[in-house]
Amino acid sequence: RHTDAQVSEQDLVRDVVYTCQGIDGKHIKFDAKADGFVITDSVRLPRGARLLILKLCELGWLYRRIRTYVSERLSPASLELVGQAFGSALQQELADYYRLMAVLEAQVQQKAPGPGELAGQSTGGGSYLSLRRLAVWLAEPLLRMRLMAILVDNCGSLKGGALASALHMHRQHGDPFVHEFIGQLLEKVCLPLLEMIRRWVLEGELDDGYQEFFISGDLSVGDDGLWRDCYKVRQAMLPSFISPELAHRILRAGKSINFLRGCCQDEGWAEATDAAAAAAPGALSLTSPSGTLGTLVEAADQRISARLVATIFGRYRFREHCLAIKQYLLLGQGDFIQYLMDLIGPDLSQPAGLVSKFKLAGLLEAAVRASNAQYDDSATLDKLRVKMLEHGDGDRGWDVFSLEYQAASPLSTVFTEAVMLRYLRIFNFLWRLKRVEHALSASWKVMKPNAAVVKPGRGNQESAKTLADELRRCHTLRNEMNHFVTNLQYYIMFEVLECSWSDFLAEVDAAADLDALIAAHDTYLDTILKKSLLGERSQQLCKRLFTIFDTVLRFKGFADRLYEIVRDIQHKQRRREAEVSARTGAGQWGSLGGEDEHHESLVQEQLDSIGRNLDAIAAEYSSLLEGFTDQLLVQQHVDLRFLSFRLDFSEFYTRQRADRASTPLKLRWPGLLGGQL
Amino acid sequence: ASSSGSRTAQEGKRSVLGTGKSGVGKYSSAVQELLLIDDLLYAMGGADGEYVQARPKAGKLGEVVFNLDESMDLSLRELAKRILPLCESYHLIAHFVEVRWHYKHGLVSHALAAALRGLLQDYLIMVAQLEHQFRLGKLSMQGLLFYSQPMMDALGMLASVVKTALEDRLYGAGLLNLLQNKASALAGDKAARALLQKLVQDARAPYFRILERWVYGGEIDDPYEEFLIQEKKDFKKEGLRDDYRAGFWREHYVLRSEIPAFLAATAETIRTTGKYLNAIRECGEQIKGPDAGEDTRLHALADRVFLERINLAHMRASQQLLDVLLQKENLMGRLRSMKHYFLLDQGDFLVHFMDIARDELRLRPAQISVEKLQSLLELALRTSVCSADPFHEDLTCDVERQQLISQLHSSLRSGPDGRPVLDFTSLAEPGPSEGAPINISGLDTFTLDYKVRWPLTLVISRRALTKYQFIFRHLFHCKHVERQLCQTWQVHQTMRGLMGFTLMQPSYFLCQRMLHFIQTYQHYMTFEVLEPKWATFESKVATAKTVDEVIALHDEFQDSSLKECMLFWPQILKRVEKVKRACIFYCMVTQNLVPAVSLPDDDDEAERGSASGPPSRRPSVNSASSGGAYADFREQHKLRRELAIQHALQAAEDSGIEAKIQEAETAFNRDMMDLVVVLNSASQDEPYCAHLAQRLQGVGQGIAEFGMI
């Protein structure tokens, strides 16, 4: 209490300058409990001075905080580059601060002028320090320090791109000083990031040991998945001032380099990046992303993507492969498919277990040789293989046979296994459709020559007339089925495949990078799948369609049998006629008693069974078809209106349905009624 | 006053503290003055003193009142009291700077706080200088008051501004307006005005940065929602295509309720500039930035220059968007293509279509298959001249639920200025409750539709398309009536031989007059309304500067066309419909006669066919070679013809055709008169009605003449 009188303002000022550097002064000490500097109790001060000192001591507290943070950041244990840059930027600010403190320190030594002295006469002129003067001096450093403390508090724990993001967010301040200050800080912090971007974009090197960069690479992914799965944008590390589009372009540029280097063994990319680097000269700046960084990335991305696309088109002949797949897997090469089906049809009719893949491969080869496909590039044809699916009990060769196209790397990036699986689904569908069509035309081949054979014979008009009627019905039914299948095929082959193909080609021509190619191809496949009713939402419809196909195939078998029976009946009849004429010639009775009746009843029985079978198939077919067209109309997700319109272009089915609505169901099939009677 | 310095003051204080007594009154007034100056200097820096103590003002955040020691010399007290407002002002402003500097208060607050902080720094330097004088012993109370006078005014004024800002919680534009208003209110005080204007400039700076980005890049970079334009993200551009009420273009970017006064005059220009830029970006185009040499800084400019720059940016943006619309998207080509279809400017496809789709269109709306109509329409398009139109694939068709007139009726409202406007809100909701009227057919409800894509939806929005559809349906129905009448004429030609001229004469005349009416009416609509209006529209578009202008022109074209095609006049339209109905009735009557008249002939054939079997026809041809049989045949033919005439006359009489035609004629005459009268009465306000009335007068005169016959 006695010493306090000796505390001069100069001592206090010196103490304050010390505290500002985090050092305890004589009278002002850091108190860990209060977490701040306090004036020792023994010092008695005027209220105003005490308040002022405490206010100034805030600077010391802030300084301690920042220094601790900086030393943590710059310690050898912390290796994150961006964090380091932040630390060193803060360190630089602190250095400026030390310089100011040194100046102040020097001024503290100057004595304050006493009363009566003239200004300028005293030793230091006006440059002594009082508490009030110190407050003026320290106002700006205090602001700066506060700002740094805010940044340390809010962004200090972040790393990499996230740190840059946070800094950028804090830059959104209307105070020009704050704006400027954080701007400078940000420039420095972004330097390592910029370097990473530059290396990635121009050399494809991912130089990021501490997960700070906004692009991540997964080294475990092999060459096949390199494009799709290896590199990703790490959203958490994406600085907010880099737009998602720009980030995507950056990702693509580096990815393209890696793809060219890894999968295509192409070294030409270096020229492209050199050109890009030359096209965007000057220092990079992150804080104005539309500026130099944008140009560099754009130039690099454009050139490398162009290079990549050119390689894919030129060296790896993407278009040719797509066309080949369309020709063979999507049945575009009609003569080849026709021939193939003719050749392997008999083999495929056997149980799946007995079908030899080896033999089929030979037949495939033969089909290629015999059709226009032989003029196709041999490299393409080599990729065409027979594939046998897993087979279960009762499967026929038809169910397991499929064609496969083996695309080599790097095209396997586009034609991935999943994609090929989808092709397989389409192929199986088309193959089935083709098979049904094939079967129907085969039965036509049987029907046509036999139609003339069945003429009302002389003998028993009644049964012959019934037979002719049945055959006529069979014909009609075949025609009906054929109409359906042809129209469906027309729809799939032209409305779906060709339209999608022409859209696809247009998109491929416009594609500037591999992503666009992949996307174009995916949409192409998607449209086909969806429009050919193979999509998720038309599963029911597809199932029903397959049952229709099965019915048609059953009908084919039935028709074949029918004609055998017909021929059989005729044969018998002819024999009988020959017999009769022989007998008459021999002067006996032409027909023996009971023989006619016997024969007649046999024929009648066969005719009855034919009629019943035909009725059953016809009824099944028409109910299935009806269900199919009903469902077709409610499929809103694809443009199927024209298919249903085409199927019912003469309103035959509409009228049939209207008739049925007015007449009881059973009356519809007179044969059915007759069979029951 | 200069006898003692601060040291004396401190000693004095210490002695007071030492005795533990408060109050300065026991010192001599000279000591009192020194102590007081020291304390006041602290107080001027915002800190409390021993004898000058701050008390927070009750209920007011950040405001303080300084109290003086009671025991002070009275004259000193008075002097000190005069300085105290300065301390209070400083305190308040410092509080404002401290508080408003925080992030959440927005850019304008930050900038203002920074500017104020600069001023306060100057002020603190002044205080430090006063302290220097004090240490030199040169500062008296009087001197202090004198020196602090200029600051006192400035800070006092600022404090009042700051106080309003704090009390009214003004941020952003409000804050700027406050400063601006204060500045203009203090126009007389030069110094204060200059100071405030400097503050305004500083506070505006970040605002102008946002403005620059908006005007030159179309981006809103406004983290604290201060900018005068607000983006409403829930308006999607897709809405323009499907929704009658879509407000994407008008309401996507809106002005906030509070905008800075200095931008009020140009706010709309600024808004449209950025809006255009955004539309350009939505089209996938690169925005044309300012030219290389152009100065894009908007801050701290004279009003005139600022206005020039804004206008320049606006011109550039609107020009680019207009180019995109007119050149790249070929708007006029689109509109011309729509004109072919909706305004029947090349009607051959329609004739073909009406031929092939006749049966389908006769059905009730619910039974019509739109797919079938669509494919027929495509067929008609591909075989007509329209196949040369590159856009013809975008044309589709549809079937509405209601008749045109009832739909119009439900969507016509009278606008604010008494003029009719179309309000499509009622169309947006399907009205199943009313149920389709029974007696309408596809002919009444058929309509075309058109696939429009962004950015063309800006001009050809759902609204615009619906207006086109109205005109089309009206024209389509007129076309239908005309075709019916033409068919009736053909029927007349075939029946002339059978029925003779006298019987058919009134019918003939009626048919001609009806044709005259319907053709005149169509001619009026197409050649006197649509074509000239279109020509005007097209020539005006060529000189249009902005997209908004084009939209307005297109709207005007449509509205005036609708109006002059009578679609805004239900009372006239109803009469036209009535006349048309009379025409249709007449056609029906006449055409129904055909089977009745020609029935015997067919029956005869059929009877003979069924009686003698197929060979019956062949002999007649075969026997043509032998003369006798041929003569016989001719005789038979003549006989049959006479029989047919007999039958026809009989049938005509039976069906009461004359009476029915008479009825149709009366109805037609009556409705026609009615229409002309209404047109005449409407022509007072709408001159074009007089024109149409004049033309239809011919038909009316005909009425009089034929009436006499």
Side-chain angles (χ1 to χ4, degrees):
Chain A
R1 198 157 275 242
H2 303 292
T3 52
D4 54 32
Q6 269 77 47
V7 179
S8 68
E9 188 168 356
Q10 203 178 359
D11 288 343
L12 285 172
V13 168
R14 179 180 294 122
D15 270 10
V16 171
V17 172
Y18 279 133
T19 52
C20 284
Q21 302 175 62
I23 304 163
D24 282 355
K26 213 193 278 176
H27 311 289
I28 308 170
K29 298 223 163 24
F30 188 77
D31 181 5
K33 213 192 289 168
D35 191 24
F37 285 92
V38 289
I39 305 168
T40 39
D41 292 337
S42 57
V43 182
R44 286 273 162 188
L45 276 178
R47 249 177 84 101
R50 180 178 285 269
L51 283 174
L52 202 53
I53 287 171
L54 286 180
K55 219 160 115 186
L56 293 177
C57 284
E58 186 195 346
L59 194 56
W61 184 86
L62 292 170
Y63 168 77
R64 284 174 62 101
R65 216 185 128 50
I66 293 161
R67 214 200 42 196
T68 332
Y69 177 77
V70 168
S71 56
E72 261 171 37
R73 268 296 180 195
L74 292 183
S75 77
S78 139
L79 292 166
E80 284 155 13
L81 300 180
V82 179
Q84 260 177 19
F86 183 51
S88 76
L90 290 180
Q91 179 80 27
Q92 233 165 327
E93 287 297 326
L94 288 185
D96 286 350
Y97 177 69
Y98 292 143
R99 191 174 310 128
L100 176 75
M101 284 303 138
V103 173
L104 292 182
E105 180 79 55
Q107 290 192 5
V108 173
Q109 308 302 329
Q110 313 245 350
K111 273 197 163 278
E117 283 178 43
L118 285 174
Q121 264 183 355
S122 64
T123 43
S127 63
Y128 63 94
L129 278 183
S130 69
L131 281 175
R132 292 191 189 90
R133 284 184 164 218
L134 197 59
V136 175
W137 272 106
L138 290 181
E140 205 238 307
L142 182 63
L143 188 65
R144 210 177 273 265
M145 209 59 95
R146 258 194 213 170
L147 207 51
M148 286 200 271
I150 290 177
L151 294 183
V152 165
D153 277 354
N154 294 351
C155 329
S157 54
L158 302 171
K159 69 173 189 177
L163 176 61
S165 269
L167 280 182
H168 183 255
M169 225 173 67
H170 280 85
R171 199 178 169 219
Q172 306 262 346
H173 197 280
D175 187 341
F177 170 78
V178 177
H179 195 74
E180 186 78 1
F181 181 78
I182 302 187
Q184 283 170 4
L185 219 54
L186 194 58
E187 288 283 341
K188 289 175 191 159
V189 166
C190 286
L191 279 179
L193 278 180
L194 274 181
E195 192 47 40
M196 286 179 206
I197 295 179
R198 181 190 271 281
R199 285 208 64 188
W200 170 248
V201 163
L202 296 184
E203 294 160 36
E205 296 291 340
L206 203 56
D207 194 8
D208 173 30
Y210 309 100
Q211 280 82 49
E212 294 172 286
F213 196 31
F214 56 84
I215 288 169
S216 65
D218 183 356
L219 293 178
S220 63
V221 177
D223 272 359
D224 277 352
L226 185 130
W227 184 267
R228 283 173 194 255
D229 303 320
C230 188
Y231 300 104
K232 294 257 165 1
V233 171
R234 197 184 276 144
Q235 287 302 335
M237 286 295 143
L238 182 63
S240 52
F241 47 86
I242 291 188
S243 65
E245 292 83 46
L246 187 63
H248 188 71
R249 297 200 82 157
I250 293 174
L251 172 73
R252 199 166 55 200
K255 200 162 68 168
S256 302
I257 294 180
N258 279 306
F259 189 74
L260 277 169
R261 195 163 46 193
C263 301
C264 308
Q265 283 82 41
D266 180 272
E267 291 304 324
W269 59 271
E271 292 163 31
T273 52
D274 287 348
L284 293 185
S285 159
L286 262 188
T287 36
S288 56
S290 54
T292 47
L293 179 69
T295 16
L296 173 78
V297 170
E298 197 176 317
D301 177 36
Q302 241 168 33
R303 284 179 169 79
I304 297 170
S305 291
R307 169 97 207 165
L308 179 56
V309 169
T311 315
I312 295 272
F313 281 165
R315 214 165 109 199
Y316 294 102
R317 302 172 54 241
F318 178 71
R319 276 203 200 88
E320 285 79 358
H321 284 291
C322 285
L323 184 64
I325 288 181
K326 177 173 169 278
Q327 297 291 57
Y328 300 115
L329 293 198
L330 305 186
L331 313 193
Q333 183 85 34
D335 58 341
F336 162 74
I337 296 299
Q338 187 68 38
Y339 200 77
L340 181 69
M341 198 160 271
D342 285 345
L343 274 183
I344 66 175
D347 277 286
L348 293 185
S349 307
Q350 293 169 359
L354 298 177
V355 180
S356 138
K357 186 181 174 184
F358 193 67
K359 191 178 175 200
L360 289 183
L363 291 175
L364 175 69
E365 185 69 21
V368 168
R369 293 283 155 254
S371 65
N372 272 330
Q374 61 177 304
Y375 303 114
D376 213 336
D377 195 4
S378 64
T380 316
L381 291 173
D382 283 348
K383 294 196 159 56
L384 197 63
R385 303 278 164 79
V386 170
K387 184 176 182 177
M388 306 298 282
L389 306 176
E390 297 287 313
H391 57 82
D393 285 346
D395 275 353
R396 298 254 145 201
W398 289 105
D399 302 314
V400 294
F401 171 79
S402 62
L403 285 179
E404 182 185 38
Y405 194 83
Q406 288 177 332
S409 168
L411 287 186
S412 49
T413 301
V414 182
F415 305 117
T416 56
E417 271 181 35
V419 167
M420 293 323 284
L421 219 60
R422 292 164 83 188
Y423 268 123
L424 192 66
R425 281 184 62 199
I426 303 176
F427 172 79
N428 282 337
F429 174 68
L430 292 176
W431 184 249
R432 221 163 188 170
L433 183 59
K434 199 80 198 170
R435 181 190 165 201
V436 170
E437 194 218 3
H438 200 254
L440 278 176
S441 34
S443 72
W444 170 249
K445 275 192 251 168
V446 179
M447 281 178 181
K448 188 63 191 166
N450 282 323
V453 176
V454 187
K455 273 188 193 146
R458 258 164 301 158
N460 28 44
Q461 283 247 342
E462 193 54 33
S463 69
K465 198 161 181 293
T466 328
L467 184 63
D469 278 354
E470 293 297 344
L471 288 186
R472 208 180 113 73
R473 267 178 61 204
C474 185
H475 251 283
T476 322
L477 190 57
R478 193 207 77 91
N479 260 342
E480 207 179 308
M481 286 172 172
N482 194 43
H483 166 73
F484 172 73
V485 171
T486 318
N487 272 303
L488 187 68
Q489 204 176 16
Y490 155 80
Y491 166 77
I492 303 274
M493 296 309 285
F494 291 93
E495 303 266 344
V496 177
L497 288 180
E498 287 301 327
C499 290
S500 318
W501 175 251
S502 87
D503 288 351
F504 172 59
L505 277 192
E507 270 184 66
V508 162
D509 284 341
D513 54 76
L514 189 53
D515 276 334
L517 275 187
I518 293 178
H521 188 254
D522 282 350
T523 17
Y524 167 62
L525 262 184
D526 273 345
T527 356
I528 294 180
L529 274 174
K530 209 166 75 183
K531 286 196 176 175
S532 340
L533 306 176
L534 295 171
E536 293 240 318
R537 295 164 68 180
S538 34
Q539 272 173 348
Q540 286 288 327
L541 201 57
C542 192
K543 225 177 263 171
R544 212 172 268 263
L545 193 59
F546 283 166
T547 24
I548 294 184
F549 287 172
D550 289 344
T551 315
V552 173
L553 290 177
R554 268 206 356 251
F555 166 75
K556 198 242 169 189
F558 168 74
D560 287 350
R561 268 204 317 284
L562 173 66
Y563 279 93
E564 270 168 32
I565 293 170
V566 168
R567 269 198 297 274
D568 187 42
I569 291 174
Q570 269 174 345
H571 189 66
K572 274 184 192 157
Q573 206 151 5
R574 220 166 283 148
R575 217 175 51 203
R576 244 183 64 74
E577 273 167 26
E579 236 170 62
V580 169
S581 62
R583 275 183 204 149
T584 347
Q588 292 172 342
W589 289 107
S591 46
L592 301 177
E595 214 178 32
D596 264 357
E597 283 69 30
H598 174 67
H599 178 73
E600 194 67 10
S601 70
L602 259 176
V603 169
Q604 197 59 49
E605 207 170 286
Q606 272 169 326
L607 282 180
D608 278 354
S609 94
I610 288 171
R612 269 197 302 277
N613 279 330
L614 204 54
D615 283 338
I617 290 179
E620 190 182 343
Y621 173 74
S622 81
S623 81
L624 281 173
L625 184 69
E626 193 178 304
F628 179 74
T629 41
D630 276 350
Q631 277 196 344
L632 206 58
L633 287 175
V634 293
Q635 294 287 315
Q636 277 156 356
H637 61 286
V638 271
D639 208 13
L640 281 168
R641 295 185 311 179
F642 288 103
L643 178 59
S644 55
F645 176 56
R646 278 186 70 92
L647 284 178
D648 190 21
F649 77 103
S650 62
E651 294 182 353
F652 172 74
Y653 293 107
T654 320
R655 259 181 283 133
Q656 201 178 57
R657 198 169 297 189
D659 284 352
R660 190 144 16 98
S662 55
T663 48
L665 185 73
K666 282 188 175 173
L667 286 177
R668 221 173 103 234
W669 300 103
L672 194 71
L673 205 62
Q676 279 176 345
L677 288 171
Chain B
S2 58
S3 59
S4 50
S6 63
R7 222 164 289 151
T8 341
Q10 278 182 8
E11 275 158 24
K13 244 181 269 172
R14 248 174 257 125
S15 60
V16 174
L17 292 170
T19 53
K21 287 182 187 168
S22 61
V24 77
K26 55 179 170 268
Y27 300 111
S28 71
S29 63
V31 176
Q32 274 190 30
E33 184 175 356
L34 288 174
L35 288 172
L36 187 61
I37 289 176
D38 193 45
D39 258 13
L40 275 177
L41 284 176
Y42 277 121
M44 280 163 84
D48 259 357
E50 206 68 47
Y51 312 111
V52 184
Q53 289 196 339
R55 298 265 171 279
K57 220 176 193 175
K60 305 263 178 176
L61 206 65
E63 274 186 82
V64 291
V65 181
F66 283 91
N67 291 326
L68 291 167
D69 193 318
E70 292 294 328
S71 59
M72 205 179 292
D73 185 82
L74 266 181
S75 51
L76 279 177
R77 256 177 79 100
E78 279 314 303
L79 273 177
K81 260 189 194 161
R82 292 190 190 171
I83 298 182
L84 285 183
L86 179 62
C87 306
E88 283 162 14
S89 301
Y90 170 79
H91 207 278
L92 184 62
I93 296 171
H95 172 77
F96 180 84
V97 169
E98 189 80 10
V99 167
R100 284 295 176 93
W101 189 76
H102 287 297
Y103 277 97
K104 62 179 179 188
H105 293 295
L107 299 176
V108 174
S109 295
H110 300 159
L112 180 62
L116 287 173
R117 196 181 57 231
L119 288 175
L120 292 186
Q121 187 71 7
D122 288 351
Y123 163 82
L124 286 179
I125 289 172
M126 186 207 80
V127 173
Q129 276 165 356
L130 287 175
E131 185 203 5
H132 183 61
Q133 295 295 319
F134 179 56
R135 282 180 193 275
L136 296 177
K138 283 184 187 164
L139 192 69
S140 66
M141 203 52 204
Q142 206 72 47
L144 182 63
L145 183 61
F146 170 71
Y147 285 126
S148 54
Q149 206 62 53
M151 270 301 188
M152 184 140 17
D153 290 345
L155 287 195
M157 187 256 307
L158 290 183
S160 78
V161 172
V162 160
K163 193 173 161 190
T164 326
L166 282 175
E167 275 173 0
D168 298 350
R169 296 178 193 284
L170 294 177
Y171 304 97
L175 201 54
L176 286 177
N177 282 340
L178 172 72
L179 292 174
Q180 190 88 31
N181 290 341
K182 265 283 195 280
S184 43
L186 290 172
D189 187 346
K190 223 172 166 185
R193 188 183 151 86
L195 179 67
L196 270 175
Q197 248 157 7
K198 188 189 165 300
L199 281 182
V200 169
Q201 292 293 354
D202 287 349
R204 268 181 200 177
Y207 207 86
F208 275 100
R209 265 206 302 276
I210 308 178
L211 187 64
E212 280 163 20
R213 288 198 65 176
W214 171 249
V215 167
Y216 293 112
E219 296 162 32
I220 295 191
D221 177 23
D222 180 21
Y224 307 103
E225 303 191 340
E226 295 166 287
F227 194 47
L228 73 159
I229 289 152
Q230 189 180 9
E231 182 181 5
K232 294 203 168 163
K233 292 224 162 81
D234 44 342
F235 285 102
K236 296 266 182 291
K237 67 171 187 281
E238 285 74 22
L240 280 176
R241 200 181 50 212
D242 320 312
D243 193 354
Y244 295 104
R245 286 162 292 186
F248 172 77
W249 187 241
R250 270 167 298 122
E251 289 161 49
H252 188 208
Y253 294 103
V254 288
L255 295 175
R256 276 183 212 279
S257 53
E258 193 167 39
I259 52 177
F262 61 95
L263 291 177
T266 46
E268 198 48 45
T269 322
I270 292 171
R271 185 177 78 96
T272 44
T273 307
K275 190 170 78 171
Y276 289 164
L277 291 178
N278 275 298
I280 294 168
R281 194 177 310 124
E282 292 272 0
C283 299
E285 295 281 304
Q286 200 76 39
I287 289 175
K288 224 189 283 169
D291 301 331
E294 196 182 321
D295 194 354
T296 59
R297 276 174 302 129
L298 295 175
H299 180 46
L301 289 176
D303 278 356
R304 194 177 49 79
V305 186
F306 172 72
L307 211 65
E308 251 171 39
R309 290 203 183 151
I310 292 283
N311 280 339
L312 194 66
H314 182 252
M315 289 290 290
R316 186 171 41 226
S318 59
Q319 191 60 49
Q320 199 192 346
L321 183 58
L322 202 61
D323 283 351
V324 168
L325 263 186
L326 292 183
Q327 315 295 331
K328 188 167 159 263
E329 300 288 339
N330 195 3
L331 173 70
M332 287 317 284
R334 283 277 170 186
L335 286 177
R336 255 175 241 133
S337 142
M338 292 188 66
K339 182 167 167 260
H340 294 331
Y341 307 126
F342 286 89
L343 309 184
L344 306 188
D345 116 334
Q346 283 177 348
D348 64 338
F349 91 93
L350 193 78
V351 175
H352 189 190
F353 174 72
M354 286 174 93
D355 279 340
I356 53 180
R358 192 175 49 200
D359 294 337
E360 193 72 21
L361 286 176
R362 285 225 177 104
L363 297 174
R364 288 227 241 104
Q367 296 168 327
I368 291 176
S369 145
V370 180
E371 287 80 44
K372 192 162 180 183
L373 281 182
Q374 176 72 34
S375 64
L376 290 174
L377 180 68
E378 272 169 28
L379 187 66
L381 281 176
R382 287 196 187 133
T383 48
S384 72
V385 282
C386 298
S387 60
D389 176 18
F391 307 121
H392 76 263
E393 294 212 344
D394 288 333
L395 192 70
T396 60
C397 64
D398 204 358
V399 174
E400 293 280 347
R401 280 182 306 275
Q402 283 180 309
Q403 258 174 317
L404 173 63
I405 194 156
S406 50
Q407 214 163 55
L408 265 177
H409 200 71
S410 60
S411 52
L412 258 181
R413 306 266 180 283
S414 67
D417 49 353
R419 285 169 47 198
V421 290
L422 287 175
D423 171 23
F424 295 122
T425 39
S426 57
L427 294 188
E429 296 105 32
S433 54
E434 33 198 311
I438 305 145
N439 56 350
I440 63 172
S441 70
L443 290 161
D444 297 301
T445 54
F446 174 76
T447 182
L448 293 177
D449 207 343
Y450 202 77
K451 285 182 223 154
V452 194
R453 273 176 295 271
W454 171 264
L456 291 171
T457 39
L458 280 181
V459 180
I460 315 167
S461 61
R462 188 74 245 176
R463 278 180 66 86
L465 207 55
T466 311
K467 287 182 192 171
Y468 274 127
Q469 285 178 343
F470 280 166
I471 301 180
F472 169 75
R473 289 171 67 186
H474 191 47
L475 289 173
F476 182 75
H477 200 253
C478 288
K479 206 86 196 164
H480 162 65
V481 173
E482 191 197 353
R483 280 171 58 86
Q484 289 294 317
L485 285 169
C486 287
Q487 238 162 23
T488 313
W489 183 81
Q490 280 176 336
V491 168
H492 274 149
Q493 296 302 93
T494 58
M495 290 201 305
R496 195 168 59 178
L498 287 180
M499 312 272 292
F501 186 68
T502 18
L503 184 68
M504 296 308 290
Q505 192 195 29
S507 174
Y508 244 123
F509 280 134
L510 185 59
C511 183
Q512 284 303 333
R513 272 173 42 217
M514 285 175 167
L515 262 177
H516 180 61
F517 157 74
I518 198 80
Q519 280 169 350
T520 308
Y521 188 62
Q522 282 189 67
H523 176 272
Y524 162 77
M525 285 198 295
T526 49
F527 285 93
E528 291 181 28
V529 178
L530 293 173
E531 284 298 333
K533 294 225 177 289
W534 175 264
T536 335
F537 167 62
E538 208 163 351
S539 68
K540 274 185 184 165
V541 164
T543 59
K545 292 273 190 304
T546 67
V547 171
D548 279 316
E549 217 172 304
V550 173
I551 294 175
L553 283 172
H554 186 241
D555 261 1
E556 191 199 312
F557 161 68
Q558 285 197 317
D559 281 347
S560 62
S561 297
L562 277 172
K563 196 163 121 191
E564 298 195 15
C565 288
M566 308 296 158
L567 290 169
F568 275 178
W569 302 102
Q571 68 273 37
I572 296 180
L573 200 61
K574 230 178 265 169
R575 265 125 192 142
V576 173
E577 287 297 322
K578 259 187 172 168
V579 178
K580 282 200 282 185
R581 225 178 295 148
C583 294
I584 293 284
F585 173 71
Y586 162 74
C587 293
M588 218 170 61
V589 167
T590 324
Q591 285 173 24
N592 279 348
L593 194 61
V594 176
V597 167
S598 46
L599 200 68
D601 206 31
D602 284 350
D603 262 2
D604 204 21
E605 288 274 320
E607 258 172 41
R608 275 193 295 159
S610 60
S612 52
S616 69
R617 275 180 197 222
R618 263 179 239 139
S620 67
V621 181
N622 288 344
S623 60
S625 52
S626 59
Y630 182 62
D632 184 35
F633 173 69
R634 278 189 60 179
E635 192 62 31
Q636 206 179 350
H637 183 75
K638 206 172 151 191
L639 208 75
R640 232 173 62 214
R641 197 177 142 69
E642 265 166 30
L643 205 72
I645 291 173
Q646 284 280 308
H647 184 91
L649 289 175
Q650 187 60 43
E653 208 167 314
D654 285 352
S655 60
I657 187 76
E658 254 176 306
K660 275 185 183 159
I661 287 176
Q662 189 66 42
E663 187 188 336
E665 185 170 4
T666 332
F668 179 68
N669 284 348
R670 187 190 60 226
D671 294 335
M672 209 49 217
M673 288 299 271
D674 215 11
L675 174 66
V676 172
V677 166
V678 173
L679 277 176
N680 271 332
S681 67
S683 64
Q684 294 270 313
D685 304 321
E686 314 288 343
Y688 52 84
C689 288
H691 194 70
L692 180 60
Q694 193 86 45
R695 290 183 148 279
L696 293 180
Q697 205 77 53
V699 188
Q701 273 170 6
I703 298 168
E705 278 169 30
F706 291 118
M708 275 187 279
I709 293 170

